[in-house]
Amino acid sequence: MNHRMLVSMALTVAMVVPLTAQRPADRERIADLVPIEIRPGLNRIPNAEGDGRDAQVFSAWRDNGNAWGYRIFIVTMPERSASGLAETAWSVVGIGAEGSGIERDTIRDTPHTGEDAVVSVRFARAALDGKPATLLITAERRGWITVPDPSPALIRIYVLRNASERGEFVGTTPDVFLPVISFSTTQNYSDADAALQAELNLPLPEEKKN
């Protein structure tokens, strides 16, 4: 097997490694992590992409009449004109999926009883690779048999970006949360928020601090 074939095989393997295979050391790409409080209803994130535009996050509770209710989040941004100025039209911010690139319009958590959250959804500001960023962070506990069972958590981190920075806009949203870091924890957790606190030093939500 010649050198060119070996290089080609190595590149192919590198391209298909999923984000979940990245080392937890990728967490070091993030510094100065500060949570953004999201209350029920409409919330604003000022200057979310550093271009003067504010993001809007709408959060609402979807009641199931049991322990499986959840919060749903939808993020929007004002569209930009050719001159770069914010317009009055608001557009949904897509949430990119790992691998397939297919985007979702909304995201939701799964708090269960509140003490044993299965999925946690958080927003934060931070420095990503030394640059200011607005982040969407999720933790999803996996492998439990009964909900409170301690289990590993899959932590995903997305960064808010404008489509122009990707060089591609057709078939996507003008702004999007792009997946940048994803890893499974080596520790087991009974609560997704506790996983974020331990793994990223992200404070517990206010309702869990009492």
Side-chain angles (χ1 to χ4, degrees):
M1 184 177 296
N2 61 35
H3 177 72
R4 180 175 297 178
M5 292 179 66
L6 286 172
V7 171
S8 177
M9 289 177 63
L11 288 174
T12 300
V13 171
M15 289 175 65
V16 299
V17 172
L19 284 173
T20 49
Q22 291 184 355
R23 300 187 307 274
D26 283 341
R27 288 174 292 185
E28 298 176 2
R29 296 174 58 190
I30 297 176
D32 305 323
L33 189 63
V34 178
I36 298 171
E37 184 178 9
I38 302 297
R39 296 179 177 274
L42 192 61
N43 304 261
R44 277 188 179 261
I45 302 177
N47 196 23
E49 289 185 21
D51 59 3
R53 295 180 301 152
D54 296 349
Q56 290 188 160
V57 182
F58 183 75
S59 171
W61 178 253
R62 202 284 197 186
D63 203 340
N64 280 343
N66 55 28
W68 293 102
Y70 53 86
R71 279 176 290 262
I72 190 168
F73 304 85
I74 182 169
V75 184
T76 60
M77 291 280 291
E79 296 181 4
R80 295 196 299 193
S81 65
S83 63
L85 300 177
E87 298 179 344
T88 56
W90 289 76
S91 181
V92 169
V93 175
I95 300 166
E98 295 174 7
S100 68
I102 298 172
E103 295 168 4
R104 293 167 288 169
D105 294 335
T106 63
I107 194 166
R108 71 188 198 187
D109 64 10
T110 309
H112 199 243
T113 65
E115 299 301 319
D116 54 2
V118 177
V119 180
S120 178
V121 175
R122 308 286 291 279
F123 293 83
R125 291 190 187 272
L128 175 65
D129 298 328
K131 298 179 181 180
T134 297
L135 305 179
L136 167 64
I137 303 172
T138 66
E140 179 183 0
R141 293 196 299 116
R142 293 182 164 187
W144 47 268
I145 297 176
T146 63
V147 181
D149 291 344
S151 56
L154 175 60
I155 295 178
R156 294 186 178 101
I157 302 174
Y158 306 78
V159 63
L160 182 61
R161 288 285 185 262
N162 185 260
S164 62
E165 296 183 18
R166 293 174 288 168
E168 184 69 38
F169 175 49
V170 177
T172 186
T173 54
D175 299 275
V176 68
F177 276 105
L178 292 175
V180 288
I181 298 173
S182 179
F183 63 93
S184 292
T185 65
T186 56
Q187 299 279 47
N188 293 332
Y189 299 94
S190 295
D191 177 47
D193 288 310
L196 291 177
Q197 182 183 42
E199 300 289 334
L200 297 178
N201 200 28
L202 197 59
L204 292 173
E206 288 298 324
E207 65 269 18
K208 290 188 175 181
K209 292 181 180 180
N210 298 329

